[in-house]
Amino acid sequence: MSSVPFHYVDLRTFCYATEDDRRVEDALRTFLPEEYPIERSQSEGHYGDRIVVLSARVENADEIRHVLSQVATLSDIDAVKAELDDRVDDNCSFFLTFDKQAAFRGEVTRGDGITLRAKVEAYPAKREHAVANARELFEEL
């Protein structure tokens, strides 16, 4: 994986009032390089309950490689490769979600709770080019 065809990778998760902030942060850190900064913003749910949004944007190529090395450990990475046409949108963004509980245990599995959004390099910026670039990357994983 010499070149990385992503401009950046965004990771985001929500910490609800019933969850421990540190545990949710640990789950997000499963994908990030050591000591990577995580942004926190506070929001409010429909009934006034506290929601903390934890997010990180990874822009450095080596750090993006680290995130992708975690994604590569998915047991069903071949299914992700087969779904690339559905996972890249018209804005050349690639989306994938992960199980937050599994991530807390240090496991990388698909599910709900943590969202990965990666901006795929494509020149010209067309969906077809982005899918081809993402496919080439995932074939290397």
Side-chain angles (χ1 to χ4, degrees):
M1 184 175 18
S2 55
S3 68
V4 180
F6 290 151
H7 292 290
Y8 57 84
V9 173
D10 287 330
L11 289 158
R12 183 176 71 178
T13 190
F14 299 101
C15 178
Y16 299 100
T18 58
E19 296 176 311
D20 181 352
D21 293 17
R22 288 172 295 197
R23 292 171 63 110
V24 175
E25 183 176 325
D26 287 346
L28 189 60
R29 288 201 178 280
T30 297
F31 299 93
L32 296 169
E34 196 170 317
E35 301 299 319
Y36 200 83
I38 293 178
E39 292 182 25
R40 295 170 160 263
S41 62
Q42 194 147 332
S43 188
E44 191 174 288
H46 183 70
Y47 295 105
D49 50 326
R50 174 189 67 92
I51 299 173
V52 177
V53 181
L54 302 171
S55 61
R57 176 169 280 193
V58 180
E59 296 176 307
N60 177 290
D62 288 335
E63 293 166 341
I64 291 173
R65 282 188 197 92
H66 181 276
V67 173
L68 291 174
S69 71
Q70 294 301 100
V71 173
T73 65
L74 277 169
S75 62
D76 62 346
I77 193 72
D78 291 332
V80 173
K81 293 175 189 176
E83 298 167 357
L84 281 173
D85 286 329
D86 297 327
R87 297 199 166 277
V88 176
D89 68 8
D90 290 337
N91 292 321
C92 300
S93 292
F94 167 77
F95 292 90
L96 193 57
T97 58
F98 301 98
D99 185 305
K100 187 169 28 173
Q101 291 292 326
F104 175 70
R105 295 188 305 269
E107 302 166 9
V108 178
T109 60
R110 293 202 295 169
D112 292 324
I114 298 176
T115 302
L116 178 146
R117 175 183 170 262
K119 186 68 169 184
V120 183
E121 291 179 354
Y123 303 103
K126 295 190 185 244
R127 184 179 170 284
E128 305 82 50
H129 297 285
V131 170
N133 287 344
R135 188 173 313 286
E136 185 177 312
L137 169 73
F138 277 92
E139 291 301 324
E140 292 180 22
L141 293 182

PDB file of all heavy atoms in Angstrom, residues 22-51:
ATOM      1  N   ARG A  22     -15.182   7.410  28.362  1.00  0.00           N
ATOM      2  CA  ARG A  22     -13.846   6.829  28.179  1.00  0.00           C
ATOM      3  C   ARG A  22     -13.905   5.521  27.406  1.00  0.00           C
ATOM      4  O   ARG A  22     -13.037   5.242  26.576  1.00  0.00           O
ATOM      5  CB  ARG A  22     -13.165   6.614  29.524  1.00  0.00           C
ATOM      6  CG  ARG A  22     -12.734   7.943  30.179  1.00  0.00           C
ATOM      7  CD  ARG A  22     -12.255   7.679  31.543  1.00  0.00           C
ATOM      8  NE  ARG A  22     -13.433   7.187  32.281  1.00  0.00           N
ATOM      9  CZ  ARG A  22     -13.554   7.128  33.572  1.00  0.00           C
ATOM     10  NH1 ARG A  22     -12.551   7.483  34.319  1.00  0.00           N
ATOM     11  NH2 ARG A  22     -14.646   6.690  34.157  1.00  0.00           N
ATOM     12  N   ARG A  23     -14.920   4.733  27.672  1.00  0.00           N
ATOM     13  CA  ARG A  23     -15.042   3.455  26.959  1.00  0.00           C
ATOM     14  C   ARG A  23     -15.353   3.686  25.474  1.00  0.00           C
ATOM     15  O   ARG A  23     -14.818   2.993  24.610  1.00  0.00           O
ATOM     16  CB  ARG A  23     -16.115   2.591  27.604  1.00  0.00           C
ATOM     17  CG  ARG A  23     -15.718   2.106  28.983  1.00  0.00           C
ATOM     18  CD  ARG A  23     -16.856   1.429  29.699  1.00  0.00           C
ATOM     19  NE  ARG A  23     -17.295   0.234  29.019  1.00  0.00           N
ATOM     20  CZ  ARG A  23     -17.123  -1.002  29.463  1.00  0.00           C
ATOM     21  NH1 ARG A  23     -16.520  -1.197  30.615  1.00  0.00           N
ATOM     22  NH2 ARG A  23     -17.562  -2.037  28.778  1.00  0.00           N
ATOM     23  N   VAL A  24     -16.203   4.654  25.188  1.00  0.00           N
ATOM     24  CA  VAL A  24     -16.531   4.965  23.793  1.00  0.00           C
ATOM     25  C   VAL A  24     -15.302   5.534  23.093  1.00  0.00           C
ATOM     26  O   VAL A  24     -15.011   5.194  21.940  1.00  0.00           O
ATOM     27  CB  VAL A  24     -17.736   5.928  23.710  1.00  0.00           C
ATOM     28  CG1 VAL A  24     -17.993   6.356  22.272  1.00  0.00           C
ATOM     29  CG2 VAL A  24     -18.979   5.269  24.301  1.00  0.00           C
ATOM     30  N   GLU A  25     -14.542   6.365  23.791  1.00  0.00           N
ATOM     31  CA  GLU A  25     -13.303   6.894  23.216  1.00  0.00           C
ATOM     32  C   GLU A  25     -12.316   5.766  22.945  1.00  0.00           C
ATOM     33  O   GLU A  25     -11.656   5.740  21.902  1.00  0.00           O
ATOM     34  CB  GLU A  25     -12.682   7.939  24.142  1.00  0.00           C
ATOM     35  CG  GLU A  25     -11.436   8.572  23.554  1.00  0.00           C
ATOM     36  CD  GLU A  25     -10.869   9.679  24.414  1.00  0.00           C
ATOM     37  OE1 GLU A  25     -11.643  10.417  25.048  1.00  0.00           O
ATOM     38  OE2 GLU A  25      -9.626   9.808  24.427  1.00  0.00           O
ATOM     39  N   ASP A  26     -12.209   4.812  23.852  1.00  0.00           N
ATOM     40  CA  ASP A  26     -11.335   3.652  23.644  1.00  0.00           C
ATOM     41  C   ASP A  26     -11.752   2.865  22.403  1.00  0.00           C
ATOM     42  O   ASP A  26     -10.909   2.379  21.649  1.00  0.00           O
ATOM     43  CB  ASP A  26     -11.345   2.733  24.858  1.00  0.00           C
ATOM     44  CG  ASP A  26     -10.586   3.310  26.044  1.00  0.00           C
ATOM     45  OD1 ASP A  26      -9.837   4.290  25.853  1.00  0.00           O
ATOM     46  OD2 ASP A  26     -10.763   2.775  27.160  1.00  0.00           O
ATOM     47  N   ALA A  27     -13.059   2.747  22.181  1.00  0.00           N
ATOM     48  CA  ALA A  27     -13.555   2.046  20.995  1.00  0.00           C
ATOM     49  C   ALA A  27     -13.100   2.771  19.730  1.00  0.00           C
ATOM     50  O   ALA A  27     -12.627   2.144  18.776  1.00  0.00           O
ATOM     51  CB  ALA A  27     -15.074   1.939  21.037  1.00  0.00           C
ATOM     52  N   LEU A  28     -13.204   4.096  19.718  1.00  0.00           N
ATOM     53  CA  LEU A  28     -12.786   4.878  18.554  1.00  0.00           C
ATOM     54  C   LEU A  28     -11.274   4.769  18.350  1.00  0.00           C
ATOM     55  O   LEU A  28     -10.796   4.683  17.219  1.00  0.00           O
ATOM     56  CB  LEU A  28     -13.214   6.338  18.721  1.00  0.00           C
ATOM     57  CG  LEU A  28     -13.044   7.244  17.516  1.00  0.00           C
ATOM     58  CD1 LEU A  28     -13.856   6.738  16.326  1.00  0.00           C
ATOM     59  CD2 LEU A  28     -13.458   8.665  17.864  1.00  0.00           C
ATOM     60  N   ARG A  29     -10.525   4.731  19.434  1.00  0.00           N
ATOM     61  CA  ARG A  29      -9.062   4.642  19.351  1.00  0.00           C
ATOM     62  C   ARG A  29      -8.578   3.318  18.753  1.00  0.00           C
ATOM     63  O   ARG A  29      -7.434   3.218  18.333  1.00  0.00           O
ATOM     64  CB  ARG A  29      -8.432   4.851  20.718  1.00  0.00           C
ATOM     65  CG  ARG A  29      -8.527   6.283  21.179  1.00  0.00           C
ATOM     66  CD  ARG A  29      -7.522   6.642  22.241  1.00  0.00           C
ATOM     67  NE  ARG A  29      -7.661   8.047  22.584  1.00  0.00           N
ATOM     68  CZ  ARG A  29      -7.160   9.037  21.861  1.00  0.00           C
ATOM     69  NH1 ARG A  29      -6.480   8.784  20.771  1.00  0.00           N
ATOM     70  NH2 ARG A  29      -7.339  10.285  22.230  1.00  0.00           N
ATOM     71  N   THR A  30      -9.440   2.324  18.688  1.00  0.00           N
ATOM     72  CA  THR A  30      -9.077   1.064  18.049  1.00  0.00           C
ATOM     73  C   THR A  30      -8.607   1.308  16.617  1.00  0.00           C
ATOM     74  O   THR A  30      -7.744   0.599  16.107  1.00  0.00           O
ATOM     75  CB  THR A  30     -10.280   0.100  18.044  1.00  0.00           C
ATOM     76  OG1 THR A  30     -10.618  -0.192  19.393  1.00  0.00           O
ATOM     77  CG2 THR A  30      -9.986  -1.184  17.303  1.00  0.00           C
ATOM     78  N   PHE A  31      -9.140   2.336  15.964  1.00  0.00           N
ATOM     79  CA  PHE A  31      -8.830   2.605  14.564  1.00  0.00           C
ATOM     80  C   PHE A  31      -7.728   3.646  14.381  1.00  0.00           C
ATOM     81  O   PHE A  31      -7.204   3.783  13.288  1.00  0.00           O
ATOM     82  CB  PHE A  31     -10.093   3.098  13.844  1.00  0.00           C
ATOM     83  CG  PHE A  31     -11.183   2.087  13.855  1.00  0.00           C
ATOM     84  CD1 PHE A  31     -12.142   2.093  14.858  1.00  0.00           C
ATOM     85  CD2 PHE A  31     -11.243   1.101  12.889  1.00  0.00           C
ATOM     86  CE1 PHE A  31     -13.142   1.137  14.888  1.00  0.00           C
ATOM     87  CE2 PHE A  31     -12.238   0.146  12.916  1.00  0.00           C
ATOM     88  CZ  PHE A  31     -13.186   0.164  13.922  1.00  0.00           C
ATOM     89  N   LEU A  32      -7.405   4.389  15.423  1.00  0.00           N
ATOM     90  CA  LEU A  32      -6.511   5.540  15.303  1.00  0.00           C
ATOM     91  C   LEU A  32      -5.089   5.230  15.746  1.00  0.00           C
ATOM     92  O   LEU A  32      -4.875   4.369  16.601  1.00  0.00           O
ATOM     93  CB  LEU A  32      -7.050   6.690  16.155  1.00  0.00           C
ATOM     94  CG  LEU A  32      -8.399   7.252  15.730  1.00  0.00           C
ATOM     95  CD1 LEU A  32      -8.940   8.196  16.792  1.00  0.00           C
ATOM     96  CD2 LEU A  32      -8.281   7.951  14.393  1.00  0.00           C
ATOM     97  N   PRO A  33      -4.127   5.984  15.200  1.00  0.00           N
ATOM     98  CA  PRO A  33      -2.754   5.862  15.697  1.00  0.00           C
ATOM     99  C   PRO A  33      -2.710   6.265  17.175  1.00  0.00           C
ATOM    100  O   PRO A  33      -3.560   7.004  17.665  1.00  0.00           O
ATOM    101  CB  PRO A  33      -1.970   6.871  14.845  1.00  0.00           C
ATOM    102  CG  PRO A  33      -2.816   7.118  13.645  1.00  0.00           C
ATOM    103  CD  PRO A  33      -4.232   6.927  14.085  1.00  0.00           C
ATOM    104  N   GLU A  34      -1.698   5.800  17.868  1.00  0.00           N
ATOM    105  CA  GLU A  34      -1.554   6.064  19.292  1.00  0.00           C
ATOM    106  C   GLU A  34      -1.531   7.567  19.579  1.00  0.00           C
ATOM    107  O   GLU A  34      -0.896   8.341  18.858  1.00  0.00           O
ATOM    108  CB  GLU A  34      -0.252   5.430  19.788  1.00  0.00           C
ATOM    109  CG  GLU A  34      -0.177   5.303  21.275  1.00  0.00           C
ATOM    110  CD  GLU A  34       1.009   4.464  21.692  1.00  0.00           C
ATOM    111  OE1 GLU A  34       1.254   3.422  21.073  1.00  0.00           O
ATOM    112  OE2 GLU A  34       1.679   4.883  22.645  1.00  0.00           O
ATOM    113  N   GLU A  35      -2.249   7.966  20.616  1.00  0.00           N
ATOM    114  CA  GLU A  35      -2.313   9.354  21.086  1.00  0.00           C
ATOM    115  C   GLU A  35      -2.883  10.327  20.052  1.00  0.00           C
ATOM    116  O   GLU A  35      -2.611  11.522  20.110  1.00  0.00           O
ATOM    117  CB  GLU A  35      -0.923   9.842  21.543  1.00  0.00           C
ATOM    118  CG  GLU A  35      -0.316   9.025  22.656  1.00  0.00           C
ATOM    119  CD  GLU A  35      -1.145   9.024  23.929  1.00  0.00           C
ATOM    120  OE1 GLU A  35      -1.671  10.078  24.306  1.00  0.00           O
ATOM    121  OE2 GLU A  35      -1.270   7.940  24.536  1.00  0.00           O
ATOM    122  N   TYR A  36      -3.629   9.845  19.092  1.00  0.00           N
ATOM    123  CA  TYR A  36      -4.214  10.721  18.082  1.00  0.00           C
ATOM    124  C   TYR A  36      -5.297  11.581  18.733  1.00  0.00           C
ATOM    125  O   TYR A  36      -6.093  11.078  19.524  1.00  0.00           O
ATOM    126  CB  TYR A  36      -4.799   9.901  16.919  1.00  0.00           C
ATOM    127  CG  TYR A  36      -4.976  10.723  15.680  1.00  0.00           C
ATOM    128  CD1 TYR A  36      -3.923  10.936  14.823  1.00  0.00           C
ATOM    129  CD2 TYR A  36      -6.198  11.327  15.403  1.00  0.00           C
ATOM    130  CE1 TYR A  36      -4.062  11.714  13.696  1.00  0.00           C
ATOM    131  CE2 TYR A  36      -6.351  12.109  14.274  1.00  0.00           C
ATOM    132  CZ  TYR A  36      -5.273  12.301  13.426  1.00  0.00           C
ATOM    133  OH  TYR A  36      -5.412  13.089  12.318  1.00  0.00           O
ATOM    134  N   PRO A  37      -5.348  12.875  18.410  1.00  0.00           N
ATOM    135  CA  PRO A  37      -6.351  13.750  19.050  1.00  0.00           C
ATOM    136  C   PRO A  37      -7.778  13.431  18.587  1.00  0.00           C
ATOM    137  O   PRO A  37      -8.019  13.198  17.404  1.00  0.00           O
ATOM    138  CB  PRO A  37      -5.938  15.154  18.611  1.00  0.00           C
ATOM    139  CG  PRO A  37      -5.129  14.964  17.373  1.00  0.00           C
ATOM    140  CD  PRO A  37      -4.483  13.606  17.490  1.00  0.00           C
ATOM    141  N   ILE A  38      -8.670  13.416  19.546  1.00  0.00           N
ATOM    142  CA  ILE A  38     -10.091  13.194  19.267  1.00  0.00           C
ATOM    143  C   ILE A  38     -10.847  14.441  19.678  1.00  0.00           C
ATOM    144  O   ILE A  38     -10.668  14.954  20.787  1.00  0.00           O
ATOM    145  CB  ILE A  38     -10.619  11.964  20.031  1.00  0.00           C
ATOM    146  CG1 ILE A  38      -9.968  10.693  19.490  1.00  0.00           C
ATOM    147  CG2 ILE A  38     -12.136  11.874  19.936  1.00  0.00           C
ATOM    148  CD1 ILE A  38     -10.381   9.430  20.210  1.00  0.00           C
ATOM    149  N   GLU A  39     -11.676  14.946  18.769  1.00  0.00           N
ATOM    150  CA  GLU A  39     -12.496  16.121  19.070  1.00  0.00           C
ATOM    151  C   GLU A  39     -13.781  15.680  19.757  1.00  0.00           C
ATOM    152  O   GLU A  39     -14.347  14.643  19.428  1.00  0.00           O
ATOM    153  CB  GLU A  39     -12.837  16.869  17.782  1.00  0.00           C
ATOM    154  CG  GLU A  39     -11.653  17.510  17.126  1.00  0.00           C
ATOM    155  CD  GLU A  39     -12.040  18.288  15.881  1.00  0.00           C
ATOM    156  OE1 GLU A  39     -13.206  18.729  15.781  1.00  0.00           O
ATOM    157  OE2 GLU A  39     -11.169  18.436  15.022  1.00  0.00           O
ATOM    158  N   ARG A  40     -14.230  16.494  20.688  1.00  0.00           N
ATOM    159  CA  ARG A  40     -15.476  16.230  21.405  1.00  0.00           C
ATOM    160  C   ARG A  40     -16.396  17.435  21.233  1.00  0.00           C
ATOM    161  O   ARG A  40     -15.964  18.567  21.368  1.00  0.00           O
ATOM    162  CB  ARG A  40     -15.219  16.063  22.905  1.00  0.00           C
ATOM    163  CG  ARG A  40     -14.399  14.889  23.264  1.00  0.00           C
ATOM    164  CD  ARG A  40     -14.009  14.957  24.751  1.00  0.00           C
ATOM    165  NE  ARG A  40     -13.638  13.645  25.189  1.00  0.00           N
ATOM    166  CZ  ARG A  40     -14.450  12.819  25.821  1.00  0.00           C
ATOM    167  NH1 ARG A  40     -15.659  13.184  26.143  1.00  0.00           N
ATOM    168  NH2 ARG A  40     -14.038  11.620  26.169  1.00  0.00           N
ATOM    169  N   SER A  41     -17.630  17.154  20.954  1.00  0.00           N
ATOM    170  CA  SER A  41     -18.639  18.215  20.962  1.00  0.00           C
ATOM    171  C   SER A  41     -19.877  17.655  21.649  1.00  0.00           C
ATOM    172  O   SER A  41     -20.163  16.460  21.553  1.00  0.00           O
ATOM    173  CB  SER A  41     -18.949  18.705  19.550  1.00  0.00           C
ATOM    174  OG  SER A  41     -19.478  17.671  18.769  1.00  0.00           O
ATOM    175  N   GLN A  42     -20.556  18.523  22.351  1.00  0.00           N
ATOM    176  CA  GLN A  42     -21.711  18.072  23.107  1.00  0.00           C
ATOM    177  C   GLN A  42     -22.983  18.518  22.406  1.00  0.00           C
ATOM    178  O   GLN A  42     -23.075  19.618  21.878  1.00  0.00           O
ATOM    179  CB  GLN A  42     -21.674  18.614  24.527  1.00  0.00           C
ATOM    180  CG  GLN A  42     -22.664  17.911  25.422  1.00  0.00           C
ATOM    181  CD  GLN A  42     -22.164  17.791  26.840  1.00  0.00           C
ATOM    182  OE1 GLN A  42     -20.966  17.748  27.071  1.00  0.00           O
ATOM    183  NE2 GLN A  42     -23.069  17.720  27.769  1.00  0.00           N
ATOM    184  N   SER A  43     -23.947  17.631  22.413  1.00  0.00           N
ATOM    185  CA  SER A  43     -25.238  17.897  21.803  1.00  0.00           C
ATOM    186  C   SER A  43     -26.315  17.438  22.772  1.00  0.00           C
ATOM    187  O   SER A  43     -26.018  16.937  23.864  1.00  0.00           O
ATOM    188  CB  SER A  43     -25.342  17.152  20.467  1.00  0.00           C
ATOM    189  OG  SER A  43     -26.501  17.535  19.787  1.00  0.00           O
ATOM    190  N   GLU A  44     -27.538  17.607  22.354  1.00  0.00           N
ATOM    191  CA  GLU A  44     -28.659  17.222  23.206  1.00  0.00           C
ATOM    192  C   GLU A  44     -29.640  16.389  22.401  1.00  0.00           C
ATOM    193  O   GLU A  44     -29.964  16.713  21.264  1.00  0.00           O
ATOM    194  CB  GLU A  44     -29.337  18.495  23.710  1.00  0.00           C
ATOM    195  CG  GLU A  44     -30.348  18.284  24.794  1.00  0.00           C
ATOM    196  CD  GLU A  44     -30.862  19.596  25.342  1.00  0.00           C
ATOM    197  OE1 GLU A  44     -30.112  20.287  26.046  1.00  0.00           O
ATOM    198  OE2 GLU A  44     -32.023  19.923  25.032  1.00  0.00           O
ATOM    199  N   GLY A  45     -30.099  15.303  23.008  1.00  0.00           N
ATOM    200  CA  GLY A  45     -31.066  14.439  22.353  1.00  0.00           C
ATOM    201  C   GLY A  45     -32.465  15.033  22.379  1.00  0.00           C
ATOM    202  O   GLY A  45     -32.703  16.107  22.945  1.00  0.00           O
ATOM    203  N   HIS A  46     -33.400  14.347  21.791  1.00  0.00           N
ATOM    204  CA  HIS A  46     -34.782  14.820  21.672  1.00  0.00           C
ATOM    205  C   HIS A  46     -35.421  15.111  23.030  1.00  0.00           C
ATOM    206  O   HIS A  46     -36.201  16.041  23.169  1.00  0.00           O
ATOM    207  CB  HIS A  46     -35.609  13.775  20.911  1.00  0.00           C
ATOM    208  CG  HIS A  46     -37.017  14.178  20.668  1.00  0.00           C
ATOM    209  ND1 HIS A  46     -37.352  15.184  19.788  1.00  0.00           N
ATOM    210  CD2 HIS A  46     -38.181  13.731  21.204  1.00  0.00           C
ATOM    211  CE1 HIS A  46     -38.667  15.331  19.787  1.00  0.00           C
ATOM    212  NE2 HIS A  46     -39.192  14.455  20.632  1.00  0.00           N
ATOM    213  N   TYR A  47     -35.081  14.325  24.030  1.00  0.00           N
ATOM    214  CA  TYR A  47     -35.665  14.497  25.360  1.00  0.00           C
ATOM    215  C   TYR A  47     -34.729  15.215  26.325  1.00  0.00           C
ATOM    216  O   TYR A  47     -34.896  15.139  27.537  1.00  0.00           O
ATOM    217  CB  TYR A  47     -36.065  13.133  25.936  1.00  0.00           C
ATOM    218  CG  TYR A  47     -37.164  12.499  25.124  1.00  0.00           C
ATOM    219  CD1 TYR A  47     -36.889  11.443  24.264  1.00  0.00           C
ATOM    220  CD2 TYR A  47     -38.474  12.977  25.179  1.00  0.00           C
ATOM    221  CE1 TYR A  47     -37.892  10.862  23.498  1.00  0.00           C
ATOM    222  CE2 TYR A  47     -39.478  12.412  24.418  1.00  0.00           C
ATOM    223  CZ  TYR A  47     -39.186  11.362  23.580  1.00  0.00           C
ATOM    224  OH  TYR A  47     -40.173  10.802  22.821  1.00  0.00           O
ATOM    225  N   GLY A  48     -33.728  15.909  25.776  1.00  0.00           N
ATOM    226  CA  GLY A  48     -32.810  16.673  26.613  1.00  0.00           C
ATOM    227  C   GLY A  48     -31.637  15.887  27.152  1.00  0.00           C
ATOM    228  O   GLY A  48     -30.851  16.408  27.938  1.00  0.00           O
ATOM    229  N   ASP A  49     -31.503  14.634  26.755  1.00  0.00           N
ATOM    230  CA  ASP A  49     -30.384  13.822  27.227  1.00  0.00           C
ATOM    231  C   ASP A  49     -29.087  14.246  26.534  1.00  0.00           C
ATOM    232  O   ASP A  49     -29.092  14.741  25.420  1.00  0.00           O
ATOM    233  CB  ASP A  49     -30.659  12.333  27.020  1.00  0.00           C
ATOM    234  CG  ASP A  49     -31.108  12.010  25.613  1.00  0.00           C
ATOM    235  OD1 ASP A  49     -31.809  12.838  25.012  1.00  0.00           O
ATOM    236  OD2 ASP A  49     -30.754  10.936  25.102  1.00  0.00           O
ATOM    237  N   ARG A  50     -27.983  14.047  27.229  1.00  0.00           N
ATOM    238  CA  ARG A  50     -26.668  14.453  26.745  1.00  0.00           C
ATOM    239  C   ARG A  50     -26.164  13.460  25.694  1.00  0.00           C
ATOM    240  O   ARG A  50     -26.247  12.250  25.869  1.00  0.00           O
ATOM    241  CB  ARG A  50     -25.701  14.476  27.925  1.00  0.00           C
ATOM    242  CG  ARG A  50     -24.254  14.731  27.558  1.00  0.00           C
ATOM    243  CD  ARG A  50     -23.355  14.522  28.759  1.00  0.00           C
ATOM    244  NE  ARG A  50     -23.320  13.126  29.185  1.00  0.00           N
ATOM    245  CZ  ARG A  50     -22.415  12.240  28.758  1.00  0.00           C
ATOM    246  NH1 ARG A  50     -21.490  12.592  27.904  1.00  0.00           N
ATOM    247  NH2 ARG A  50     -22.435  10.992  29.193  1.00  0.00           N
ATOM    248  N   ILE A  51     -25.620  13.996  24.619  1.00  0.00           N
ATOM    249  CA  ILE A  51     -24.956  13.191  23.592  1.00  0.00           C
ATOM    250  C   ILE A  51     -23.615  13.853  23.300  1.00  0.00           C
ATOM    251  O   ILE A  51     -23.563  15.039  22.981  1.00  0.00           O
ATOM    252  CB  ILE A  51     -25.785  13.107  22.296  1.00  0.00           C
ATOM    253  CG1 ILE A  51     -27.136  12.458  22.552  1.00  0.00           C
ATOM    254  CG2 ILE A  51     -25.015  12.334  21.221  1.00  0.00           C
ATOM    255  CD1 ILE A  51     -28.075  12.484  21.353  1.00  0.00           C
TER     256      ILE A  51
END
